[in-house]
Amino acid sequence: MTQTLVKAPFRADQVGSLLRPESLKKAKNEYKAGKITAEQLHEVERQEIKRAVDKQIEAGLQVVTEGEFGRDWWHSTFMEHLLGAEGYIPEQGYNFSNQETDPYDVRLVDKVAYNPNHPFFQQAKELVEIVGDRAVVKFTIPSPNQFFHPNIINGQYKDFEEFAPDIIQAYKETIHEFYRIGIRYLQLDDVYLAVIATADFPPEEKKYLAELAVRVVNGVLEGKPEDLTVTTHVCRGNYRSDYSFSGGYDTVAPIVFANEKVDGFFLEYDDERSGSFEPLKYIPKGGPRVVLGLVTSKTGQLEDKEAIKARVQEATKYVPLEQLCLSPQCGFASTHHGNILTEEEQWEKLRFVVETANEIWE
């Protein structure tokens, strides 16, 4: 049976990133080595995005992305192109459970501001043109909360409170430009919320940081067009099939789930690291949809369909079935490295999500 939801998030949805095809990896390496031009790289990207869009539609998805093919990192490639920001190579990368990432980060070198020439605008415009009326276009960007780290602020502001109004304004203008281009479904990827939820902060500090995160996102969404759907994906790290954080949503749920004015939450629930469904009780009834990330993007092995159905049923103790959706817990390639599975396994995972969702909400 086909989708019944008119508005996103959809019963069968996805987080966004896709494995980079070998031809695209080759072209990017050649570009960085000075062997091909930016125009030649762009042509390869465009052709591979066209192919990825077709494959997503063939999988039965009503929502498609560009796979984040135009970026190396899910967050920094966007962040470094806001005015006042720059990318740089630090002494070390991020520590994940079993490895350290390649070193790359973002820092402010001036006051942050909206960039009318941000390269993501052209990427979004081309994606809208490629998809046409065949599916709903979804575009993903890091949450403004990703900037709330002292290393990123880099002494340009005395504290987070002074910084908050500028990042809110920069994102508000950015979102309105995405809307003008034709984007009607935007996702904010937020690792910061996972940090707050799982880190050993004193209770009052944790409460302040969670409230700040909600205040910033709600400030960004103030005055947004009514027909623009915006969701938050709470990410726990996704690098070469590895993770960064473990722990439930319990400590932030009363603040974030109850008060962040997004249209949906994409929540990772693919293994025991994410805790129980109990924090979902703070989701307002009839409010944001909850997209259960029950299908892992970290391996190619398919889940048991009946087990997934049982997990969805378990979640209905806290959120009505009509308010729930299904997706992978994260993207398949949050960085250009990609997770450890094949492209065909990736497409099979997405087909599995569609088939399972259709059977649950038939």
Side-chain angles (χ1 to χ4, degrees):
M1 186 174 177
T2 57
Q3 263 292 342
T4 56
L5 283 180
V6 175
K7 186 180 180 183
F10 297 99
R11 297 297 190 203
D13 216 303
Q14 62 171 317
V15 172
S17 65
L18 298 169
L19 294 172
R20 310 310 196 256
E22 288 304 318
S23 64
L24 180 56
K25 290 181 181 179
K26 179 175 180 290
K28 286 198 172 187
N29 287 335
E30 290 178 343
Y31 171 69
K32 290 175 182 179
K35 295 179 180 179
I36 64 173
T37 66
E39 290 73 19
Q40 289 172 310
L41 171 60
H42 177 254
E43 182 55 31
V44 175
E45 285 180 354
R46 185 174 176 83
Q47 291 307 314
E48 288 297 350
I49 289 171
K50 285 182 178 180
R51 187 174 73 88
V53 165
D54 290 343
K55 294 290 287 186
Q56 290 170 80
I57 293 172
E58 288 171 12
L61 289 165
Q62 288 184 274
V63 54
V64 301
T65 75
E66 93 291 17
E68 302 181 3
F69 285 0
R71 57 186 101 171
D72 282 347
W73 300 78
W74 66 274
H75 60 319
S76 58
T77 310
F78 173 85
M79 295 165 68
E80 66 187 352
H81 284 104
L82 288 181
L83 298 183
E86 70 169 11
Y88 73 105
I89 299 177
E91 293 184 0
Q92 65 181 53
Y94 298 105
N95 290 319
F96 272 58
S97 64
N98 295 305
Q99 61 193 299
E100 181 182 307
T101 70
D102 288 350
Y104 197 80
D105 211 339
V106 176
R107 63 190 173 197
L108 296 185
V109 293
D110 201 346
K111 301 298 184 182
V112 72
Y114 165 71
N115 180 4
N117 298 310
H118 199 295
F120 276 32
F121 295 146
Q122 182 61 28
Q123 294 175 20
K125 181 179 179 181
E126 291 184 4
L127 180 61
V128 169
E129 292 171 351
I130 289 170
V131 176
D133 61 0
R134 295 183 294 159
V136 173
V137 169
K138 177 180 186 177
F139 207 80
T140 66
I141 60 174
S143 168
N145 294 325
Q146 289 305 121
F147 281 86
F148 283 93
H149 190 288
N151 290 348
I152 296 177
I153 300 299
N154 194 32
Q156 299 302 317
Y157 295 86
K158 66 179 181 180
D159 55 26
F160 290 163
E161 290 295 335
E162 183 184 40
F163 173 63
D166 283 1
I167 195 64
I168 289 172
Q169 185 59 32
Y171 264 75
K172 286 184 77 167
E173 293 182 62
T174 298
I175 286 176
H176 279 274
E177 180 60 15
F178 277 127
Y179 184 84
R180 189 195 67 78
I181 288 168
I183 298 297
R184 295 296 181 270
Y185 187 4
L186 191 69
Q187 178 177 290
L188 304 176
D189 291 313
D190 202 328
V191 173
Y192 177 76
L193 289 177
V195 174
I196 299 170
T198 60
D200 189 23
F201 293 128
E204 282 306 307
E205 182 180 0
K206 182 169 288 200
K207 179 175 181 290
Y208 164 73
L209 293 174
E211 289 176 345
L212 173 67
V214 170
R215 176 156 43 99
V216 168
V217 170
N218 287 349
V220 167
L221 299 181
E222 187 176 344
K224 81 169 179 68
E226 289 187 8
D227 61 338
L228 173 63
T229 295
V230 179
T231 59
T232 285
H233 167 229
V234 182
C235 178
R236 295 164 181 272
N238 190 43
Y239 179 80
R240 289 176 166 170
S241 292
D242 201 357
Y243 67 89
S244 186
F245 307 105
S246 295
Y249 302 97
D250 308 72
T251 59
V252 299
I255 297 171
V256 177
F257 292 172
N259 297 294
E260 192 167 284
K261 296 178 181 178
V262 289
D263 298 295
F265 287 100
F266 281 73
L267 302 178
E268 300 194 355
Y269 273 114
D270 59 323
D271 61 25
E272 67 283 352
R273 288 183 304 110
S274 300
S276 74
F277 289 134
E278 186 174 2
L280 300 183
K281 67 186 180 183
Y282 294 103
I283 298 285
K285 296 297 184 287
R289 291 177 181 138
V290 176
V291 187
L292 299 173
L294 297 169
V295 176
T296 189
S297 68
K298 296 186 185 296
T299 71
Q301 181 178 356
L302 282 181
E303 287 77 2
D304 178 85
K305 189 179 289 186
E306 295 308 312
I308 296 297
K309 291 179 181 179
R311 291 282 281 154
V312 172
Q313 187 59 40
E314 182 185 350
T316 63
K317 296 177 184 177
Y318 306 101
V319 180
L321 182 62
E322 60 268 21
Q323 207 171 326
L324 295 174
C325 304
L326 179 67
S327 79
Q329 103 291 347
C330 198
F332 293 91
S334 298
T335 71
H336 61 89
H337 312 86
N339 284 343
I340 304 172
L341 72 165
T342 67
E343 278 193 65
E344 185 47 47
E345 287 172 332
Q346 166 187 264
W347 301 127
E348 186 61 30
K349 285 270 182 175
L350 291 173
R351 286 192 289 269
F352 176 82
V353 169
V354 172
E355 291 170 3
T356 305
N358 286 342
E359 292 178 18
I360 293 172
W361 289 278
E362 59 184 357

